[in-house]
Amino acid sequence: MSHQILLLLAVLTLSLAASQHRDQVSCKMVDKEVLCQGLSLLQVPSGLPRDIEALNLSGNQLRSILASPLGFYTAIRHLDLSTNEISFLQPGVFQALPHLEHINLAHNRLAVGTALSTGGLGPLPHVLSLDLSGNSLYSGLVERLLGEAPALRSLSLAENSLTRLARHTFGGTPALERLDLHSNVLMDIEDGAFDALPRLAHLNLSRNSLTCISDFSLQQLRVLDLSCNSIEAFQTAPEPRAEYQLTWLDLRENKLLHFPDLAALPRLTFLNVSNNLIRLPAGPPPGGEGLHAPSEGWSALPLLNPSRNASAHPLSQLLNLDLSYNEIELIPQGFLEHLTSLRFLNLSRNCLRAFEAQRAGSLPCLVLLDVSHNALEMLELGARALGSLRTLLLQDNALRDLPPYTFAGLVSLQRLNLQGNRVSPCGGPGEPGPPGCVAFSGISSLRILNLVDNEMEMLRAGAFLHTPLTELDLSANPGLDVAIGALAGLEASLEVLALQGNGLAVLQVDLPCFSCLKRLNLAENRLSRLPAWTQAVSLEVLDLRNNSFSLLPGSAMGGLETSLRRLYLQGNPLSCCGNGWLASQLHQGRVDVDATQDLICRFGSQEEVSLSHVRPEDCEKGGLKTVNLIIILTFTLVAAILLTTLATCCCVRRQKFNQQFKA
């Protein structure tokens, strides 16, 4: 019997040694970091070097963490145990690692096992970051799991099931600077829940069930994310003990009815209140009680308080303001006056009917203004306003009959999108234009212009003189008449031109003169001819889909051979013969011609075939058949004429003979 026991012990010893060897072989080691992720391990490997400093065991099948063998690796600083099935932590398991600074226990089963009943994580005297996200933790369990962690700076409790934060929840983490609580079910935060965190600077409470933020008093906080809750009101404490440090506030996707009260947040640089129910008030109610009328939303606009010094106005340091996807019908007078540092303003997807910035020096630092997808009928921009504006987005509004020099005063404007309006361009300088037309000539800074779907009927000569555009889109204006010289002045600058879907039968643009043109879209017109590119140009992409082209002769396309990279020709009645240049490009593969599907052509009235399958001899045979048919038809016609003449002569002679016989 004793011999059997000895034999069994020997087998177990050999198997343990083999297991340790397998662990050591399967894991990868880079310097003093061991990577054992995704190896289906059931326990912490025991055959690793003792002096490792980082151990990654994520994505395995670990269920318990024991002091042995983990305690052997006393030099570990980074320990990643995420995405396992851990439900048991041996008491004191992390205390055996005196240098441990970073622990990742995300996406385990800490809430359903015995980890909590065994003292949780225990004291963590040197740990700097701890990730407990995705463990189904609920309120009350966090306190039992978290021990004393006096050095902890970053804690993630995201993607759990917390519904409430108690006053003592974070009592053991006084050095915390970053706290992530996103994607829980938080409905209540007890007063003083964050009082034990004097260094807290970043707080993420997004994707919870909070309905109101009242008496906000975290003066030390710099970043606050409250997005994707059900917040109806945001208010700071009435008497803050010190100046707020908040610079970044995200309130998007909530239920705010009014602009939030930000009077106590002078350092704010980023504010996102998009996707709410905000309506800005038209003005203070009569009697001068505007600053005490929360029902009207006026108290939420402290920047409209005329008694406040301009330099002390809240939002004076704001750089980015997003008000998109709200219910704003008008911008109150003075609302934008003191946003002197603002660089990005998004007012898209609201109900605005008018926008104006006329006062000299208004919004002096604004670089991007998005007022797209509103109901704008009026746009008034002062000659000395918006001096830094580079991008103006006005697509999908109802603009028409604008003042002729609406955009001429925007000295820095580079990109202008007017798609989906009813704007009609004027002609060149000094040229008479129709009432309500807008001048686009002489805007020396403008580079990109979008006039898609504006119901334009006429593009007059010189419409863009002295405006060195690089991109111009005039598509989706059915019936557009492009006058000769309409694009004059763009020959040395234009790189992208789109005239798609305008029903053009003739193109009165000398395209070969546009030396910088790289992309040309002429799809969905009625064109059958192109100007001849006889010299090398820069054109790389040419879209001719759904037109009336039957031939693309080499005499017209030869100058494109060195530059053209992609050619779209689907939906044209191409002839199989006479397109030698096109067939050559297909066979040589120098130009990508309709790469998505085969290009179809026709032999006369015969069935359609793939152009890539056409051989030169096919066209020669077709030509020979045509010649033979002409010869046969000619011979038949001559024979018919001869027979008709002969029959006529015989008839005449017979009549003469009969007359002589009767006489």
Side-chain angles (χ1 to χ4, degrees):
M1 185 68 178
S2 59
H3 293 291
Q4 294 177 346
I5 294 175
L6 291 174
L7 180 61
L8 179 59
L9 289 174
V11 171
L12 290 174
T13 302
L14 289 173
S15 63
L16 179 60
S19 175
Q20 292 177 349
H21 178 70
R22 286 195 301 271
D23 291 341
Q24 192 170 8
V25 170
S26 57
C27 295
K28 298 178 182 179
M29 186 165 180
V30 180
D31 294 331
K32 292 188 177 182
E33 180 181 6
V34 177
L35 306 175
C36 301
Q37 65 266 40
L39 298 177
S40 301
L41 297 177
L42 299 176
Q43 61 183 5
V44 177
S46 58
L48 304 175
R50 299 297 178 90
D51 62 343
I52 61 173
E53 296 182 359
L55 176 58
N56 188 337
L57 290 166
S58 62
N60 284 287
Q61 299 176 18
L62 305 179
R63 296 186 178 181
S64 59
I65 302 299
L66 307 178
S68 176
L70 184 60
F72 297 158
Y73 312 119
T74 56
I76 284 183
R77 296 180 181 273
H78 297 257
L79 178 60
D80 191 343
L81 297 168
S82 62
T83 319
N84 279 280
E85 300 175 14
I86 299 170
S87 60
F88 177 77
L89 298 171
Q90 184 175 342
V93 64
F94 297 124
Q95 286 71 57
L97 306 174
H99 301 289
L100 188 60
E101 295 179 347
H102 306 279
I103 305 176
N104 190 345
L105 280 163
H107 302 288
N108 278 283
R109 305 179 65 190
L110 297 181
V112 297
T114 57
L116 298 170
S117 62
T118 56
L121 301 177
L124 302 172
H126 304 294
V127 174
L128 301 177
S129 70
L130 174 62
D131 191 343
L132 297 174
S133 59
N135 274 282
S136 301
L137 300 175
Y138 51 91
S139 299
L141 295 185
V142 173
E143 294 86 341
R144 294 163 57 187
L145 186 62
L146 285 175
E148 294 295 323
L152 192 64
R153 297 178 183 175
S154 177
L155 172 63
S156 177
L157 293 168
E159 301 175 30
N160 281 293
S161 301
L162 303 177
T163 58
R164 187 172 185 271
L165 294 180
R167 179 187 293 271
H168 56 279
T169 300
F170 306 108
T173 58
L176 206 60
E177 298 175 359
R178 291 176 175 266
L179 178 57
D180 190 352
L181 291 159
H182 85 265
S183 301
N184 278 276
V185 202
L186 286 173
M187 294 181 285
D188 181 30
I189 300 176
E190 187 177 339
D191 289 343
F194 302 114
D195 285 353
L197 307 176
R199 300 181 184 178
L200 187 63
H202 296 253
L203 177 58
N204 189 343
L205 288 166
S206 64
R207 299 189 180 279
N208 279 281
S209 301
L210 300 172
T211 58
C212 180
I213 300 295
S214 60
D215 295 335
F216 174 75
S217 59
L218 297 178
Q219 282 84 19
Q220 80 281 14
L221 207 62
R222 294 184 179 179
V223 175
L224 176 58
D225 191 344
L226 290 166
S227 61
C228 305
N229 279 275
S230 299
I231 297 172
E232 297 179 2
F234 177 92
Q235 292 182 341
T236 55
E239 295 181 1
R241 296 186 298 272
E243 188 177 83
Y244 285 95
Q245 303 297 311
L246 198 66
T247 62
W248 198 95
L249 177 59
D250 194 341
L251 285 163
R252 60 190 162 89
E253 295 187 47
N254 279 285
K255 296 181 179 180
L256 291 172
L257 298 175
H258 306 300
F259 196 79
D261 183 0
L262 306 172
L265 305 177
R267 298 177 181 269
L268 206 60
T269 60
F270 175 93
L271 176 60
N272 190 337
V273 287
S274 63
N275 289 88
N276 279 279
L277 304 171
I278 294 175
R279 290 188 177 187
L280 298 180
E289 299 178 356
L291 299 179
H292 306 281
S295 62
E296 297 294 330
W298 187 259
S299 64
L301 300 175
L303 61 167
L304 295 177
N305 186 347
S307 65
R308 190 180 294 269
N309 190 314
S311 61
H313 266 276
L315 307 188
S316 62
Q317 295 188 32
L318 196 65
L319 301 178
N320 191 317
L321 175 58
D322 193 339
L323 280 160
S324 60
Y325 289 91
N326 278 283
E327 298 181 4
I328 301 171
E329 297 181 356
L330 58 85
I331 305 295
Q333 185 177 3
F335 179 77
L336 303 176
E337 285 301 314
H338 300 286
L339 302 181
T340 53
S341 301
L342 196 65
R343 293 177 59 83
F344 303 95
L345 175 58
N346 190 346
L347 287 163
S348 65
R349 308 279 181 177
N350 277 280
C351 309
L352 289 171
R353 293 186 176 275
F355 181 87
E356 60 177 285
Q358 291 186 303
R359 183 171 296 184
S362 179
L363 296 170
C365 297
L366 196 66
V367 173
L368 184 147
L369 173 59
D370 189 348
V371 203
S372 63
H373 302 280
N374 278 277
L376 287 183
E377 297 176 351
M378 185 185 76
L379 179 67
E380 296 183 1
L381 306 176
R384 291 182 292 172
L386 305 172
S388 301
L389 191 66
R390 298 179 185 176
T391 300
L392 178 54
L393 305 179
L394 295 165
Q395 63 267 29
D396 294 308
N397 279 287
L399 294 172
R400 65 189 312 155
D401 299 331
L402 294 175
Y405 297 103
T406 297
F407 307 108
L410 303 178
V411 295
S412 300
L413 188 63
Q414 296 180 1
R415 179 188 176 195
L416 176 58
N417 192 335
L418 284 162
Q419 179 174 344
N421 286 279
R422 298 296 175 263
V423 174
S424 178
C426 299
E431 294 289 332
C437 72
V438 177
F440 292 104
S441 60
I443 308 177
S444 60
S445 60
L446 191 60
R447 296 294 180 269
I448 301 173
L449 177 59
N450 187 332
L451 287 168
V452 173
D453 186 22
N454 269 267
E455 296 186 1
M456 292 190 300
E457 298 178 356
M458 181 72 177
L459 192 64
R460 293 166 178 79
F464 308 108
L465 277 175
H466 312 301
T467 300
L469 296 174
T470 58
E471 297 183 22
L472 176 60
D473 198 338
L474 300 167
S475 303
N477 288 288
L480 177 65
D481 183 5
V482 181
I484 297 175
L487 303 184
L490 302 180
E491 293 84 356
S493 64
L494 199 62
E495 298 179 3
V496 179
L497 174 61
L499 287 162
Q500 178 179 351
N502 290 325
L504 298 173
V506 178
L507 188 61
Q508 300 186 115
V509 181
D510 195 0
L511 292 172
C513 293
F514 291 78
S515 57
C516 298
L517 196 61
K518 295 181 179 180
R519 299 176 63 90
L520 176 59
N521 187 348
L522 296 172
E524 299 176 22
N525 283 289
R526 295 182 290 119
L527 300 172
S528 59
R529 295 181 57 188
L530 286 175
W533 277 283
T534 56
Q535 297 180 350
V537 290
S538 303
L539 195 64
E540 298 176 359
V541 179
L542 177 57
D543 193 341
L544 300 174
R545 284 175 289 190
N546 299 320
N547 274 281
S548 302
F549 291 100
S550 60
L551 297 176
L552 288 179
S555 58
M557 308 294 288
L560 301 180
E561 290 187 357
T562 57
S563 63
L564 197 61
R565 296 291 176 266
R566 186 167 297 176
L567 176 61
Y568 297 97
L569 277 167
Q570 287 295 332
N572 281 282
L574 294 172
S575 171
C576 292
C577 299
N579 274 311
W581 177 87
L582 184 56
S584 174
Q585 302 306 311
L586 282 172
H587 291 303
Q588 295 179 14
R590 288 184 296 185
V591 177
D592 183 7
V593 182
D594 285 357
T596 55
Q597 51 186 315
D598 285 338
L599 202 58
I600 302 301
C601 67
R602 295 179 178 84
F603 279 113
S605 60
Q606 298 180 15
E607 295 183 0
E608 297 177 342
V609 297
S610 173
L611 183 60
S612 60
H613 297 159
V614 176
R615 299 169 299 175
E617 51 267 30
D618 295 332
C619 291
E620 293 175 1
K621 291 178 180 178
L624 184 60
K625 290 178 180 179
T626 301
V627 172
N628 291 337
L629 180 60
I630 292 173
I631 293 174
I632 292 172
L633 290 175
T634 303
F635 177 78
T636 303
L637 181 60
V638 171
I641 293 173
L642 290 174
L643 289 174
T644 302
T645 303
L646 183 60
T648 302
C649 291
C650 291
C651 183
V652 170
R653 286 191 175 188
R654 181 176 297 176
Q655 289 177 354
K656 289 182 178 180
F657 176 77
N658 290 336
Q659 291 175 356
Q660 291 176 358
F661 178 76
K662 289 179 180 179

PDB file of all heavy atoms in Angstrom, residues 515-535:
ATOM      1  N   SER A 515      -6.388  73.123 -64.868  1.00  0.00           N
ATOM      2  CA  SER A 515      -5.154  72.352 -64.742  1.00  0.00           C
ATOM      3  C   SER A 515      -5.035  71.603 -63.422  1.00  0.00           C
ATOM      4  O   SER A 515      -4.300  70.624 -63.333  1.00  0.00           O
ATOM      5  CB  SER A 515      -3.948  73.282 -64.900  1.00  0.00           C
ATOM      6  OG  SER A 515      -4.003  74.338 -63.947  1.00  0.00           O
ATOM      7  N   CYS A 516      -5.757  72.033 -62.376  1.00  0.00           N
ATOM      8  CA  CYS A 516      -5.648  71.390 -61.058  1.00  0.00           C
ATOM      9  C   CYS A 516      -6.785  70.417 -60.775  1.00  0.00           C
ATOM     10  O   CYS A 516      -6.800  69.783 -59.710  1.00  0.00           O
ATOM     11  CB  CYS A 516      -5.616  72.448 -59.957  1.00  0.00           C
ATOM     12  SG  CYS A 516      -4.208  73.569 -60.045  1.00  0.00           S
ATOM     13  N   LEU A 517      -7.737  70.283 -61.699  1.00  0.00           N
ATOM     14  CA  LEU A 517      -8.917  69.462 -61.459  1.00  0.00           C
ATOM     15  C   LEU A 517      -8.533  67.990 -61.272  1.00  0.00           C
ATOM     16  O   LEU A 517      -7.890  67.394 -62.139  1.00  0.00           O
ATOM     17  CB  LEU A 517      -9.894  69.598 -62.626  1.00  0.00           C
ATOM     18  CG  LEU A 517     -11.324  69.108 -62.386  1.00  0.00           C
ATOM     19  CD1 LEU A 517     -11.989  69.887 -61.269  1.00  0.00           C
ATOM     20  CD2 LEU A 517     -12.139  69.210 -63.669  1.00  0.00           C
ATOM     21  N   LYS A 518      -8.963  67.404 -60.125  1.00  0.00           N
ATOM     22  CA  LYS A 518      -8.641  66.012 -59.818  1.00  0.00           C
ATOM     23  C   LYS A 518      -9.879  65.115 -59.813  1.00  0.00           C
ATOM     24  O   LYS A 518      -9.777  63.940 -60.144  1.00  0.00           O
ATOM     25  CB  LYS A 518      -7.952  65.924 -58.454  1.00  0.00           C
ATOM     26  CG  LYS A 518      -6.595  66.603 -58.414  1.00  0.00           C
ATOM     27  CD  LYS A 518      -5.958  66.466 -57.042  1.00  0.00           C
ATOM     28  CE  LYS A 518      -4.589  67.137 -57.014  1.00  0.00           C
ATOM     29  NZ  LYS A 518      -3.940  67.027 -55.685  1.00  0.00           N
ATOM     30  N   ARG A 519     -11.036  65.654 -59.427  1.00  0.00           N
ATOM     31  CA  ARG A 519     -12.266  64.857 -59.370  1.00  0.00           C
ATOM     32  C   ARG A 519     -13.373  65.619 -60.097  1.00  0.00           C
ATOM     33  O   ARG A 519     -13.648  66.777 -59.775  1.00  0.00           O
ATOM     34  CB  ARG A 519     -12.684  64.584 -57.921  1.00  0.00           C
ATOM     35  CG  ARG A 519     -11.664  63.795 -57.126  1.00  0.00           C
ATOM     36  CD  ARG A 519     -12.112  63.657 -55.673  1.00  0.00           C
ATOM     37  NE  ARG A 519     -13.346  62.908 -55.567  1.00  0.00           N
ATOM     38  CZ  ARG A 519     -13.409  61.589 -55.416  1.00  0.00           C
ATOM     39  NH1 ARG A 519     -12.280  60.883 -55.337  1.00  0.00           N
ATOM     40  NH2 ARG A 519     -14.559  60.971 -55.329  1.00  0.00           N
ATOM     41  N   LEU A 520     -14.012  64.942 -61.066  1.00  0.00           N
ATOM     42  CA  LEU A 520     -15.073  65.555 -61.860  1.00  0.00           C
ATOM     43  C   LEU A 520     -16.273  64.626 -61.891  1.00  0.00           C
ATOM     44  O   LEU A 520     -16.171  63.476 -62.327  1.00  0.00           O
ATOM     45  CB  LEU A 520     -14.574  65.825 -63.279  1.00  0.00           C
ATOM     46  CG  LEU A 520     -15.597  66.378 -64.278  1.00  0.00           C
ATOM     47  CD1 LEU A 520     -16.171  67.703 -63.801  1.00  0.00           C
ATOM     48  CD2 LEU A 520     -14.960  66.539 -65.661  1.00  0.00           C
ATOM     49  N   ASN A 521     -17.420  65.113 -61.425  1.00  0.00           N
ATOM     50  CA  ASN A 521     -18.648  64.321 -61.376  1.00  0.00           C
ATOM     51  C   ASN A 521     -19.679  64.935 -62.311  1.00  0.00           C
ATOM     52  O   ASN A 521     -20.221  66.009 -62.046  1.00  0.00           O
ATOM     53  CB  ASN A 521     -19.180  64.267 -59.943  1.00  0.00           C
ATOM     54  CG  ASN A 521     -20.363  63.309 -59.807  1.00  0.00           C
ATOM     55  OD1 ASN A 521     -20.932  62.847 -60.791  1.00  0.00           O
ATOM     56  ND2 ASN A 521     -20.735  63.011 -58.577  1.00  0.00           N
ATOM     57  N   LEU A 522     -19.948  64.222 -63.416  1.00  0.00           N
ATOM     58  CA  LEU A 522     -20.943  64.650 -64.406  1.00  0.00           C
ATOM     59  C   LEU A 522     -22.062  63.629 -64.528  1.00  0.00           C
ATOM     60  O   LEU A 522     -22.779  63.600 -65.535  1.00  0.00           O
ATOM     61  CB  LEU A 522     -20.276  64.851 -65.765  1.00  0.00           C
ATOM     62  CG  LEU A 522     -19.218  65.957 -65.843  1.00  0.00           C
ATOM     63  CD1 LEU A 522     -18.495  65.908 -67.188  1.00  0.00           C
ATOM     64  CD2 LEU A 522     -19.837  67.327 -65.624  1.00  0.00           C
ATOM     65  N   ALA A 523     -22.251  62.789 -63.528  1.00  0.00           N
ATOM     66  CA  ALA A 523     -23.230  61.705 -63.588  1.00  0.00           C
ATOM     67  C   ALA A 523     -24.654  62.248 -63.662  1.00  0.00           C
ATOM     68  O   ALA A 523     -24.940  63.384 -63.269  1.00  0.00           O
ATOM     69  CB  ALA A 523     -23.084  60.801 -62.360  1.00  0.00           C
ATOM     70  N   GLU A 524     -25.549  61.396 -64.203  1.00  0.00           N
ATOM     71  CA  GLU A 524     -26.983  61.674 -64.240  1.00  0.00           C
ATOM     72  C   GLU A 524     -27.314  62.974 -64.965  1.00  0.00           C
ATOM     73  O   GLU A 524     -28.048  63.830 -64.476  1.00  0.00           O
ATOM     74  CB  GLU A 524     -27.552  61.686 -62.810  1.00  0.00           C
ATOM     75  CG  GLU A 524     -27.389  60.351 -62.106  1.00  0.00           C
ATOM     76  CD  GLU A 524     -27.847  60.385 -60.664  1.00  0.00           C
ATOM     77  OE1 GLU A 524     -28.642  61.273 -60.334  1.00  0.00           O
ATOM     78  OE2 GLU A 524     -27.386  59.542 -59.879  1.00  0.00           O
ATOM     79  N   ASN A 525     -26.748  63.108 -66.166  1.00  0.00           N
ATOM     80  CA  ASN A 525     -27.096  64.199 -67.068  1.00  0.00           C
ATOM     81  C   ASN A 525     -27.509  63.589 -68.406  1.00  0.00           C
ATOM     82  O   ASN A 525     -27.872  62.403 -68.469  1.00  0.00           O
ATOM     83  CB  ASN A 525     -25.911  65.158 -67.218  1.00  0.00           C
ATOM     84  CG  ASN A 525     -25.750  66.066 -66.010  1.00  0.00           C
ATOM     85  OD1 ASN A 525     -26.537  66.960 -65.780  1.00  0.00           O
ATOM     86  ND2 ASN A 525     -24.694  65.817 -65.212  1.00  0.00           N
ATOM     87  N   ARG A 526     -27.457  64.390 -69.486  1.00  0.00           N
ATOM     88  CA  ARG A 526     -27.809  63.879 -70.823  1.00  0.00           C
ATOM     89  C   ARG A 526     -26.667  64.129 -71.807  1.00  0.00           C
ATOM     90  O   ARG A 526     -26.884  64.292 -72.997  1.00  0.00           O
ATOM     91  CB  ARG A 526     -29.098  64.550 -71.314  1.00  0.00           C
ATOM     92  CG  ARG A 526     -30.323  64.201 -70.465  1.00  0.00           C
ATOM     93  CD  ARG A 526     -31.613  64.818 -70.977  1.00  0.00           C
ATOM     94  NE  ARG A 526     -31.642  66.263 -70.803  1.00  0.00           N
ATOM     95  CZ  ARG A 526     -31.742  67.142 -71.783  1.00  0.00           C
ATOM     96  NH1 ARG A 526     -31.786  66.727 -73.041  1.00  0.00           N
ATOM     97  NH2 ARG A 526     -31.772  68.432 -71.535  1.00  0.00           N
ATOM     98  N   LEU A 527     -25.454  64.129 -71.290  1.00  0.00           N
ATOM     99  CA  LEU A 527     -24.288  64.437 -72.103  1.00  0.00           C
ATOM    100  C   LEU A 527     -23.930  63.277 -73.027  1.00  0.00           C
ATOM    101  O   LEU A 527     -24.025  62.108 -72.655  1.00  0.00           O
ATOM    102  CB  LEU A 527     -23.091  64.750 -71.200  1.00  0.00           C
ATOM    103  CG  LEU A 527     -23.254  65.950 -70.247  1.00  0.00           C
ATOM    104  CD1 LEU A 527     -22.094  66.018 -69.281  1.00  0.00           C
ATOM    105  CD2 LEU A 527     -23.371  67.239 -71.054  1.00  0.00           C
ATOM    106  N   SER A 528     -23.490  63.637 -74.230  1.00  0.00           N
ATOM    107  CA  SER A 528     -23.032  62.621 -75.190  1.00  0.00           C
ATOM    108  C   SER A 528     -21.632  62.928 -75.714  1.00  0.00           C
ATOM    109  O   SER A 528     -21.044  62.105 -76.407  1.00  0.00           O
ATOM    110  CB  SER A 528     -24.013  62.523 -76.369  1.00  0.00           C
ATOM    111  OG  SER A 528     -24.121  63.784 -77.031  1.00  0.00           O
ATOM    112  N   ARG A 529     -21.121  64.113 -75.399  1.00  0.00           N
ATOM    113  CA  ARG A 529     -19.787  64.507 -75.879  1.00  0.00           C
ATOM    114  C   ARG A 529     -19.021  65.186 -74.752  1.00  0.00           C
ATOM    115  O   ARG A 529     -19.591  65.818 -73.868  1.00  0.00           O
ATOM    116  CB  ARG A 529     -19.900  65.467 -77.063  1.00  0.00           C
ATOM    117  CG  ARG A 529     -20.534  64.868 -78.308  1.00  0.00           C
ATOM    118  CD  ARG A 529     -20.567  65.904 -79.424  1.00  0.00           C
ATOM    119  NE  ARG A 529     -19.229  66.409 -79.729  1.00  0.00           N
ATOM    120  CZ  ARG A 529     -18.987  67.429 -80.543  1.00  0.00           C
ATOM    121  NH1 ARG A 529     -19.999  68.079 -81.101  1.00  0.00           N
ATOM    122  NH2 ARG A 529     -17.747  67.813 -80.796  1.00  0.00           N
ATOM    123  N   LEU A 530     -17.693  65.072 -74.818  1.00  0.00           N
ATOM    124  CA  LEU A 530     -16.793  65.737 -73.893  1.00  0.00           C
ATOM    125  C   LEU A 530     -15.795  66.572 -74.679  1.00  0.00           C
ATOM    126  O   LEU A 530     -15.462  66.222 -75.822  1.00  0.00           O
ATOM    127  CB  LEU A 530     -16.034  64.714 -73.035  1.00  0.00           C
ATOM    128  CG  LEU A 530     -16.806  64.013 -71.915  1.00  0.00           C
ATOM    129  CD1 LEU A 530     -15.935  62.949 -71.270  1.00  0.00           C
ATOM    130  CD2 LEU A 530     -17.286  65.013 -70.869  1.00  0.00           C
ATOM    131  N   PRO A 531     -15.294  67.626 -74.090  1.00  0.00           N
ATOM    132  CA  PRO A 531     -14.210  68.358 -74.764  1.00  0.00           C
ATOM    133  C   PRO A 531     -12.964  67.487 -74.844  1.00  0.00           C
ATOM    134  O   PRO A 531     -12.807  66.525 -74.086  1.00  0.00           O
ATOM    135  CB  PRO A 531     -13.992  69.572 -73.850  1.00  0.00           C
ATOM    136  CG  PRO A 531     -14.505  69.144 -72.518  1.00  0.00           C
ATOM    137  CD  PRO A 531     -15.654  68.228 -72.796  1.00  0.00           C
ATOM    138  N   ALA A 532     -12.086  67.818 -75.758  1.00  0.00           N
ATOM    139  CA  ALA A 532     -10.896  66.987 -75.992  1.00  0.00           C
ATOM    140  C   ALA A 532      -9.785  67.353 -75.026  1.00  0.00           C
ATOM    141  O   ALA A 532      -9.356  68.509 -74.962  1.00  0.00           O
ATOM    142  CB  ALA A 532     -10.429  67.152 -77.438  1.00  0.00           C
ATOM    143  N   TRP A 533      -9.344  66.347 -74.259  1.00  0.00           N
ATOM    144  CA  TRP A 533      -8.162  66.506 -73.418  1.00  0.00           C
ATOM    145  C   TRP A 533      -6.947  66.067 -74.241  1.00  0.00           C
ATOM    146  O   TRP A 533      -6.627  64.881 -74.320  1.00  0.00           O
ATOM    147  CB  TRP A 533      -8.264  65.649 -72.164  1.00  0.00           C
ATOM    148  CG  TRP A 533      -9.061  66.260 -71.057  1.00  0.00           C
ATOM    149  CD1 TRP A 533      -8.656  67.242 -70.221  1.00  0.00           C
ATOM    150  CD2 TRP A 533     -10.393  65.932 -70.651  1.00  0.00           C
ATOM    151  NE1 TRP A 533      -9.639  67.548 -69.307  1.00  0.00           N
ATOM    152  CE2 TRP A 533     -10.724  66.758 -69.549  1.00  0.00           C
ATOM    153  CE3 TRP A 533     -11.345  65.020 -71.113  1.00  0.00           C
ATOM    154  CZ2 TRP A 533     -11.949  66.697 -68.903  1.00  0.00           C
ATOM    155  CZ3 TRP A 533     -12.562  64.957 -70.473  1.00  0.00           C
ATOM    156  CH2 TRP A 533     -12.861  65.798 -69.384  1.00  0.00           C
ATOM    157  N   THR A 534      -6.311  66.998 -74.882  1.00  0.00           N
ATOM    158  CA  THR A 534      -5.174  66.658 -75.748  1.00  0.00           C
ATOM    159  C   THR A 534      -3.841  66.747 -75.023  1.00  0.00           C
ATOM    160  O   THR A 534      -2.855  66.170 -75.469  1.00  0.00           O
ATOM    161  CB  THR A 534      -5.146  67.601 -76.964  1.00  0.00           C
ATOM    162  OG1 THR A 534      -5.099  68.958 -76.510  1.00  0.00           O
ATOM    163  CG2 THR A 534      -6.401  67.390 -77.811  1.00  0.00           C
ATOM    164  N   GLN A 535      -3.802  67.481 -73.905  1.00  0.00           N
ATOM    165  CA  GLN A 535      -2.575  67.602 -73.125  1.00  0.00           C
ATOM    166  C   GLN A 535      -2.781  66.998 -71.750  1.00  0.00           C
ATOM    167  O   GLN A 535      -3.905  66.903 -71.252  1.00  0.00           O
ATOM    168  CB  GLN A 535      -2.163  69.069 -72.991  1.00  0.00           C
ATOM    169  CG  GLN A 535      -1.832  69.727 -74.326  1.00  0.00           C
ATOM    170  CD  GLN A 535      -1.419  71.181 -74.153  1.00  0.00           C
ATOM    171  OE1 GLN A 535      -1.557  71.748 -73.081  1.00  0.00           O
ATOM    172  NE2 GLN A 535      -0.904  71.777 -75.223  1.00  0.00           N
TER     173      GLN A 535
END
